[in-house]
Amino acid sequence: KNEVEQSPQNLTAQEGEFITINCSYSVGISALHWLQQHPGGGIVSLFMLSSGKKKHGRLIATINIQEKHSSLHITASHPRDSAVYICAVANRDDKIIFGKGTRLHILP
Amino acid sequence: DTGVSQDPRHKITKRGQNVTFRCDPISEHNRLYWYRQTLGQGPEFLTYFQNEAQLEKSRLLSDRFSAERPKGSFSTLEIQRTEQGDSAMYLCASSLEWVKNEQFFGPGTRLTVL
């Protein structure tokens, strides 16, 4: 079993829909990251969380440390949000462990 | 400073050839990381440097792989005698030592071994 599990693996939605991507992890962490990767490979850091909730524009990330679970939400989704979203955790040794990613496709 | 840069962005090579990739981190960042990402997977840790010292290497890093960061600034990753299984995206990231969880990623070098 992977230490970081994401669901769903693939998600196709219509423009405007509310999107939720989930991440569960099995190790003790010092921080959790949500990353965005567009075709072509470049990775952009969206959020770094250690507790609670963060919001940036249409993106919201939450984390529940007790349940070892985080969610990334996208409100009013747009085709330009189409990308792979990767959850990554920093464990107690400061190693970054990545999930396999969720491939999101927003249809116009 | 425009962020972490990597060169080349794409490399196609024949099996058995040697390849070298370069990463230029954000200038004040003293930590530099190399990751490998194969199709459909998340990135996997290869190695990292603090200044010029290579502090850790993953078991994924076979003897054919070598990484250097000679002056504590840019880094190179060399793969000798490439194999088809080396085809992947090679990602570089950098961070400040005291904010080491906040890594900034480069655009990656996509390697295709024919």
Side-chain angles (χ1 to χ4, degrees):
Chain A
K1 190 178 187 301
N2 293 330
E3 291 168 299
V4 180
E5 296 274 0
Q6 287 186 235
S7 64
Q9 290 185 344
N10 295 282
L11 178 57
T12 299
Q14 290 293 139
E15 182 174 356
E17 285 190 38
F18 182 80
I19 302 299
T20 296
I21 299 171
N22 295 300
C23 175
S24 297
Y25 53 91
S26 57
V27 296
I29 69 168
S30 56
L32 182 143
H33 302 258
W34 282 102
L35 309 167
Q36 181 191 56
Q37 187 172 31
H38 278 286
I43 289 180
V44 174
S45 180
L46 298 175
F47 295 103
M48 185 172 72
L49 295 164
S50 54
S51 65
K53 176 179 173 178
K54 285 190 177 181
K55 185 176 189 294
H56 185 251
R58 295 180 294 106
L59 301 178
I60 303 165
T62 63
I63 187 168
N64 185 318
I65 297 293
Q66 287 73 31
E67 294 187 4
K68 295 187 174 179
H69 180 269
S70 175
S71 293
L72 176 69
H73 305 284
I74 306 174
T75 61
S77 59
H78 190 276
R80 65 174 175 267
D81 297 327
S82 298
V84 176
Y85 291 84
I86 300 172
C87 172
V89 301
N91 66 12
R92 301 289 188 201
D93 298 323
D94 293 321
K95 287 274 183 62
I96 304 286
I97 305 167
F98 296 84
K100 292 185 178 182
T102 294
R103 187 173 300 275
L104 175 66
H105 187 203
I106 303 296
L107 300 170
Chain B
D1 192 306
T2 56
V4 180
S5 62
Q6 291 186 244
D7 183 68
R9 295 291 308 276
H10 304 274
K11 178 71 177 178
I12 300 173
T13 191
K14 292 183 179 178
R15 190 175 52 180
Q17 297 294 306
N18 299 343
V19 294
T20 300
F21 310 140
R22 176 178 170 129
C23 171
D24 286 87
I26 294 173
S27 57
E28 62 268 26
H29 285 185
N30 53 0
R31 286 203 170 192
L32 187 148
Y33 304 80
W34 284 100
Y35 297 94
R36 183 173 69 184
Q37 185 179 24
T38 52
L39 203 61
Q41 303 295 315
E44 295 172 293
F45 171 78
L46 291 178
T47 188
Y48 88 94
F49 293 84
Q50 181 160 310
N51 300 311
E52 65 274 10
Q54 188 174 17
L55 295 189
E56 189 169 348
K57 293 197 295 186
S58 161
R59 285 173 294 178
L60 293 174
L61 217 63
S62 77
D63 290 344
R64 297 183 297 104
F65 287 70
S66 62
E68 294 183 343
R69 194 182 183 197
K71 297 180 181 177
S73 56
F74 73 91
S75 175
T76 57
L77 177 68
E78 182 183 14
I79 309 174
Q80 296 182 324
R81 305 181 303 282
T82 53
E83 301 173 356
Q84 287 185 323
D86 298 330
S87 296
M89 175 74 80
Y90 291 84
L91 293 160
C92 175
S94 70
S95 70
L96 288 166
E97 180 183 353
W98 52 91
V99 195
K100 46 186 175 275
N101 287 327
E102 189 167 15
Q103 295 184 16
F104 294 79
F105 286 85
T109 294
R110 184 172 294 283
L111 173 65
T112 302
V113 181
L114 302 175

